[in-house]
Amino acid sequence: MVYETNSPEETYEIGKKMGEVAKSGEVITLSGDLGVGKTVFAQGFAAGLGINEPINSPTFTIIQEYDTGRITLYHFDVYRIADIEEMYEIGFEEYIYGDGVCLIEWANLISELLPENIISVDISKALDKGFDYRKITVINNGLR
């Protein structure tokens, strides 16, 4: 499925709609260049889960856990992972095979650790369509 948005608010809303239908055990990957709106999407996704606290990209902590919504959200940002072993050290498998929902920014950097059934979200810009234009491509690899 492909969505087109023309503002951060619209990108947030796409994330929110996905969060509203998210299920326990799902793994959603977020990819796209710096500044395309991955964190805005994540904020909307969290709102869709009923999480009302501030959502920031966990770039320096790798993971943030939010347990105030209808499903626990494990929000990963693996941009700064230097060695794949770091993921094992934080107990990554417990998260992705647990009862929460995982949202992983820069998941392409750890693709060999991901389960087969994931939902991939790619966000891209097209400056010829405007500064705030985003193309959001969602590929569901068999989860729903």
Side-chain angles (χ1 to χ4, degrees):
M1 178 147 303
V2 176
Y3 302 93
E4 294 180 297
T5 65
N6 291 292
S7 70
E9 294 80 13
E10 289 178 6
T11 298
Y12 178 97
E13 286 301 317
I14 299 295
K16 185 176 180 184
K17 287 179 180 167
M18 285 189 67
E20 289 170 347
V21 298
K23 297 179 181 149
S24 180
E26 289 182 331
V27 176
I28 294 104
T29 63
L30 288 174
S31 62
D33 292 335
L34 285 169
V36 295
K38 293 183 297 292
T39 301
V40 170
F41 180 93
Q43 291 166 341
F45 189 87
L49 290 173
I51 298 167
N52 295 318
E53 57 190 287
I55 306 296
N56 297 306
S57 187
T59 301
F60 295 101
T61 58
I62 301 174
I63 182 171
Q64 289 287 349
E65 185 174 329
Y66 302 93
D67 59 5
T68 58
R70 64 178 180 82
I71 303 171
T72 300
L73 171 62
Y74 303 115
H75 181 200
F76 291 85
D77 183 329
V78 298
Y79 183 73
R80 298 199 184 280
I81 291 291
D83 184 346
I84 204 85
E85 291 299 316
E86 291 179 59
M87 297 307 291
Y88 291 112
E89 291 170 11
I90 65 167
F92 182 69
E93 289 181 330
E94 293 175 32
Y95 292 109
I96 62 169
Y97 296 112
D99 292 332
V101 60
C102 292
L103 189 63
I104 308 169
E105 295 187 42
W106 300 99
N108 57 304
L109 299 175
I110 60 164
S111 60
E112 62 267 31
L113 298 180
L114 298 175
E116 205 172 287
N117 294 326
I118 62 173
I119 298 171
S120 303
V121 177
D122 180 70
I123 305 174
S124 61
K125 296 181 192 182
L127 292 178
D128 61 320
K129 294 187 178 188
F131 180 77
D132 288 326
Y133 172 86
R134 299 295 185 266
K135 178 180 174 184
I136 303 171
T137 305
V138 179
I139 300 172
N140 185 335
N141 295 324
L143 278 178
R144 291 191 195 162

